[in-house]
Amino acid sequence: MLMRTDPFRDFDRFAQQVFGSPGTWSKPAVMPMDAYRSGDEFVVCFDLPGVDPSAIELDVERNVLTVKAERRPLPSGDDVQMQVSERPLGVFSRQLFLGDTLDTERIDAAYDSGVLTLRIPIAEKAKPRRITISQADSERKEIKA
């Protein structure tokens, strides 16, 4: 199970959209995401259009998943005159607190068409299982006699 712990994250994202401040390493901007369960795994998708895959960091420490990415400016020169610049640049980050029911050792990450997709399997210990019932002691005594 994924847990959201920052109630002000949506407000920060809104303020960033309105005021347009770029993210920095000390105060990264928010990256949008979707999270859902599909069978025996959780799937988390982060929107990172225009981000080079080598500029994405993915870390897990004590069930805290941290995704950081940096969208760098396009190369420019003396002969380049920017006409419109609406795409946010800078550093983006997101932290997810993963429950004990997820297997953080087997996270699969794929980046395609500007979307980073993480697949986090449900831990074996958290999956439903059938428990076998042994025979009562009274029946065992009858068998021994």
Side-chain angles (χ1 to χ4, degrees):
M1 140 162 81
L2 301 173
M3 298 182 295
R4 289 183 71 161
T5 60
D6 189 354
F8 300 104
R9 195 72 157 171
D10 291 330
F11 179 74
D12 287 343
R13 185 178 342 164
F14 175 73
Q16 178 197 350
Q17 289 172 346
V18 171
F19 300 116
S21 62
T24 63
W25 283 104
S26 61
K27 184 167 176 38
V30 178
M31 67 182 77
M33 68 167 226
D34 290 333
Y36 58 92
R37 183 174 176 166
S38 176
D40 284 343
E41 66 185 5
F42 271 95
V43 180
V44 185
C45 301
F46 298 94
D47 279 349
L48 296 170
V51 175
D52 188 272
S54 65
I56 300 173
E57 294 179 10
L58 185 61
D59 298 308
V60 176
E61 183 178 348
R62 293 188 183 158
N63 289 358
V64 177
L65 173 75
T66 303
V67 180
K68 276 193 175 181
E70 183 177 10
R71 185 179 298 126
R72 298 178 178 115
L74 297 172
S76 62
D78 293 336
D79 60 338
V80 176
Q81 294 179 356
M82 185 62 75
Q83 301 298 312
V84 178
S85 179
E86 295 179 348
R87 297 173 52 210
L89 300 175
V91 179
F92 302 86
S93 179
R94 197 73 185 249
Q95 282 191 324
L96 299 176
F97 295 89
L98 306 177
D100 292 333
T101 60
L102 299 177
D103 188 353
T104 59
E105 298 294 323
R106 298 188 307 138
I107 296 175
D108 178 57
Y111 184 71
D112 184 38
S113 301
V115 178
L116 175 65
T117 302
L118 305 179
R119 297 184 178 281
I120 309 168
I122 304 292
E124 290 296 323
K125 65 181 179 180
K127 291 181 183 177
R129 62 188 185 282
R130 185 170 297 275
I131 299 171
T132 58
I133 302 171
S134 61
Q135 294 181 351
D137 288 339
S138 61
E139 292 180 11
R140 288 185 186 159
K141 289 179 184 176
E142 292 176 6
I143 295 172
K144 291 181 182 179

